[in-house]
């Protein structure tokens, strides 16, 4: 019997899973088995050009927990999640040959490396169907072609709001799936469990001081934690206060903290939006709930910007005409380790290294300091965030670093955050610094 392949990427969930549902429908229509695969590439274990491991310990643990739960959920449906270690271009065609498959379904991700993976599968002779499902809004529904999208976010947002666009309702999780093929453990690169696959240690790196303690049950990776947290946060008064509290440097409910689960795809943006709308219908809309929509639109903007500009977003000059950035490796290392001598910056960088998380305001402060005060290459900073952040998202990370460095879509051409003023505004009594600068 032939097989349909489904490739989990950054969509590690069962609810609102259009790509998986299309793969299941294809398998049923052609009387095929359905093989579900997740691939961890060796490149994630290797050192970057900047001298550190590409995927750090925090994200490894969070993704491993997410995969572990997904395996259990699929098992309840009579399916299995096959974990493979190896380059996508090698292990996926090997799977196809082993199980007589010629068709692959998976999520469409607009970033260059992810697009290159898809092309490698097509070059290997496979038919690949990619499904766009990570954004709040559908590209085809936008009031402009993505290739002509306004790059300034305010114009982007105003045109969307003027058109009255609404996201599609999320899909329910499937109640059954086609059966898997047999003898899955014979596949090249097969790995027994997610912790082994990702080399995720079991030590609890996050602790009680963390803004996002991902080793604790309420913040653990996985679909059930994501959905539980969504409902927990959407309880008065937290959403109503979001606009006023979102720039706080610490606090469990000062921000939504949806980003780690959105990054792994354990929850979809459309599911978040549907829950937010239900909250507004029950408790009323206000500045806080509007600002949550505002931030989800920013996330969409960076995704559509990747569809529009592609590899140009990864060039040294970005979208600008600025000269290539300078770089000072010793200053960069001091920044990474939180030893710049600027207290607010050092506190933020130490929190990031210790917990894999820091607030959005702190990310802006430390990114600005690296680019505008230390005059280092923004791409090194983006790579460090990729390595360290538990909620790393390729589109948002690249878009935000370009924005802060003045090489993206900011009409002000770069934003320097004065660390002294930022300290006065957001940590005037030094409480945050005391937490993270203590020995």
């Amino acid at each position: 019997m032939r097989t349909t392949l489904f490739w989990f990427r950054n969509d590690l969930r069962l609810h609102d899973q259009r790509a998986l549902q299309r793969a299941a429908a294809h398998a049923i229509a052609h009387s095929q088995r359905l093989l579900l695969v997740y691939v961890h590439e060796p490149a994630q274990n290797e050192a970057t050009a900047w001298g550190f491991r590409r995927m750090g310990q925090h994200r490894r643990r969070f993704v491993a927990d997410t995969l572990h739960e997904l395996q259990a959920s699929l098992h309840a449906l009579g399916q299995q999640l096959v974990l493979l270690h190896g380059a996508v271009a090698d292990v996926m065609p090997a799977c196809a040959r082993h199980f007589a498959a010629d068709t692959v379904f998976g999520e469409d991700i607009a970033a260059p490396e992810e697009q290159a993976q898809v092309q490698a599968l097509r070059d290997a002779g496979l038919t690949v169907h990619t499904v766009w499902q990570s954004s709040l809004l559908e590209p085809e529904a936008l009031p402009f072609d993505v290739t002509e999208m306004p790059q300034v976010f305010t114009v982007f947002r105003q045109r969307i709001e003027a058109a009255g666009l609404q996201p599609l309702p999320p899909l329910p999780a499937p109640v059954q799936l086609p059966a898997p093929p047999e003898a899955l453990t014979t596949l090249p690169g097969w790995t027994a469990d997610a912790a082994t696959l990702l080399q995720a240690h079991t030590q609890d790196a996050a602790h009680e001081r963390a803004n996002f303690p991902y080793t604790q049950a309420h913040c653990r990776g996985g679909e059930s934690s994501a959905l539980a947290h969504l409902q927990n946060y959407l309880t008065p008064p937290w959403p109503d206060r979001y606009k006023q509290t979102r720039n706080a440097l610490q606090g469990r409910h000062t921000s939504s903290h949806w980003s780690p689960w959105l990054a792994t795809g354990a929850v979809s943006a459309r599911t978040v939006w549907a829950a937010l709308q239900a909250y507004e219908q029950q408790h009323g809309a206000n500045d806080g709930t509007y600002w949550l929509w505002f931030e989800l639109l920013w996330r969409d903007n960076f995704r559509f910007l990747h569809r529009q500009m592609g590899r140009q977003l990864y060039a040294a000059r970005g979208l600008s005409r600025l000269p290539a950035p300078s770089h000072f490796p010793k200053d960069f290392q001091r920044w990474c380790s939180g030893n710049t001598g600027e207290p607010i910056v050092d506190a933020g960088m130490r929190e990031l290294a210790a917990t894999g998380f820091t607030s959005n305001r702190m990310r802006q402060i430390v990114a600005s300091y690296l680019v505008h005060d230390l005059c280092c290459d923004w791409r090194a900073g983006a790579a460090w965030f990729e390595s360290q952040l538990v909620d790393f998202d390729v589109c948002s990370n690249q878009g935000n670093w370009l924005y802060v460095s003045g090489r993206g879509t900011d009409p002000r051409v770069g934003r320097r955050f004065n660390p002294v003023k930022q300290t006065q505004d957001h940590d005037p009594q030094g409480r945050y610094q005391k937490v993270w600068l203590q020995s």
Side-chain angles (χ1 to χ4, degrees):
M1 180 179 287
R2 297 188 66 81
T3 302
T4 298
L5 284 177
F6 179 75
W7 174 23
F8 276 104
R9 305 183 83 190
N10 294 333
D11 53 349
L12 305 180
R13 64 179 184 273
L14 295 183
H15 75 272
D16 202 24
Q17 247 292 9
R18 282 180 287 179
L20 177 58
Q21 294 202 16
R22 291 185 188 180
H26 180 273
I28 292 170
H30 294 84
S31 301
Q32 295 184 358
R33 300 284 188 175
L34 179 62
L35 176 62
L36 310 178
V37 173
Y38 177 86
V39 181
H40 178 68
E41 293 221 344
Q44 296 295 323
N45 303 332
E46 298 169 358
T48 67
W50 310 101
F52 46 82
R53 205 178 192 190
R54 184 166 186 179
M55 187 178 187
Q57 63 175 342
H58 303 298
R59 185 154 54 98
R60 288 174 184 274
R61 170 68 181 271
F62 192 73
V63 174
D65 286 345
T66 304
L67 290 169
H68 181 76
E69 181 177 313
L70 182 59
Q71 282 182 305
S73 298
L74 289 168
H75 182 74
L77 295 177
Q79 256 289 352
Q80 296 185 50
L81 177 61
V82 176
L83 305 175
L84 299 178
H85 181 266
V88 167
D90 297 328
V91 297
M92 290 290 284
C95 279
R97 290 190 297 269
H98 191 85
F99 290 110
D102 56 18
T103 304
V104 179
F105 287 82
E107 179 188 20
D108 187 4
I109 304 173
E113 287 188 10
E114 287 76 1
Q115 292 287 304
Q117 289 176 333
V118 171
Q119 187 57 52
L121 298 186
R122 288 174 174 154
D123 291 344
L126 295 172
T127 298
V128 184
H129 299 285
T130 56
V131 180
W132 184 265
Q133 59 178 9
S134 68
S135 60
L136 190 65
L137 301 171
E138 302 300 304
E140 298 78 14
L142 297 175
F144 39 75
D145 189 87
V146 170
T147 60
E148 300 175 354
M149 182 185 81
Q151 291 189 356
V152 176
F153 173 73
T154 299
V155 180
F156 169 85
R157 174 183 57 81
Q158 289 172 342
R159 291 192 61 181
I160 285 174
E161 292 179 340
L165 290 188
Q166 293 288 313
L168 295 172
L171 299 173
V175 295
Q176 60 182 9
L177 290 169
E182 298 177 354
L184 298 179
T185 59
T186 62
L187 285 169
W190 177 83
T191 306
D193 65 272
T196 301
L197 176 73
L198 277 85
Q199 301 178 10
H201 62 72
T202 57
Q203 180 182 352
D204 285 355
H207 43 72
E208 62 183 11
R209 295 183 294 165
N211 269 311
F212 188 80
Y214 62 83
T215 61
Q216 296 181 15
H218 67 281
C219 290
R220 190 164 294 145
E223 189 170 3
S224 63
S225 296
L227 296 175
H229 174 79
L230 179 62
Q231 294 305 318
N232 179 270
Y233 179 76
L234 291 176
T235 304
W238 312 121
D240 308 332
R241 296 179 179 177
Y242 175 75
K243 187 177 180 181
Q244 287 71 44
T245 63
R246 64 192 177 89
N247 284 324
L249 303 185
Q250 55 190 353
R252 179 176 173 184
H253 288 103
T254 55
S255 185
S256 71
H257 292 146
W258 292 334
S259 59
W261 292 292
L262 283 168
T264 58
V267 68
S268 76
R270 298 194 308 181
T271 299
V272 170
W273 171 245
L276 182 59
Q277 278 207 311
Y279 177 90
E280 289 184 329
Q281 290 168 5
Q282 182 176 359
H283 302 287
N286 51 57
D287 283 350
T289 58
Y290 172 78
W291 218 256
L292 288 163
W293 152 262
F294 184 95
E295 298 293 358
L296 287 170
L297 273 188
W298 258 118
R299 182 176 178 275
D300 268 19
N301 178 263
F302 287 140
R303 277 161 163 66
F304 297 140
L305 184 65
H306 271 69
R307 285 179 66 122
Q308 180 188 39
M309 305 305 299
R311 289 189 176 277
Q312 192 173 343
L313 300 175
Y314 295 77
R317 292 180 173 84
L319 304 181
S320 75
R321 296 182 179 179
L322 296 173
S326 57
H327 190 61
F328 302 95
K330 291 184 179 180
D331 289 338
F332 176 63
Q333 288 302 320
R334 290 193 299 113
W335 178 81
C336 291
S337 61
N339 289 298
T340 68
E342 183 59 61
I344 193 71
V345 172
D346 290 346
M349 295 305 295
R350 292 182 191 185
E351 180 195 13
L352 175 61
T355 73
F357 195 88
T358 192
S359 68
N360 183 62
R361 171 60 54 168
M362 183 52 67
R363 297 180 198 199
Q364 293 174 313
I365 293 170
V366 300
S368 167
Y369 191 81
L370 178 72
V371 172
H372 299 297
D373 291 75
L374 297 180
C375 300
C376 287
D377 195 323
W378 66 273
R379 295 171 298 171
W384 182 249
F385 270 28
E386 177 180 355
S387 175
Q388 297 299 302
L389 284 173
V390 71
D391 63 347
F392 167 73
D393 173 285
V394 60
C395 296
S396 294
N397 190 60
Q398 202 73 8
N400 276 312
W401 273 94
L402 284 163
Y403 195 87
V404 169
S405 68
R407 299 170 185 273
T409 60
D410 184 2
R412 284 172 47 180
V413 193
R415 298 188 182 233
R416 179 181 182 270
F417 287 71
N418 184 314
V420 175
K421 184 178 186 303
Q422 294 298 314
T423 302
Q424 293 170 346
D425 290 347
H426 303 293
D427 194 32
Q429 297 178 328
R431 292 174 179 170
Y432 174 82
Q433 294 169 75
K434 184 178 180 181
V435 169
W436 295 107
L437 294 180
Q438 64 185 358
S439 57

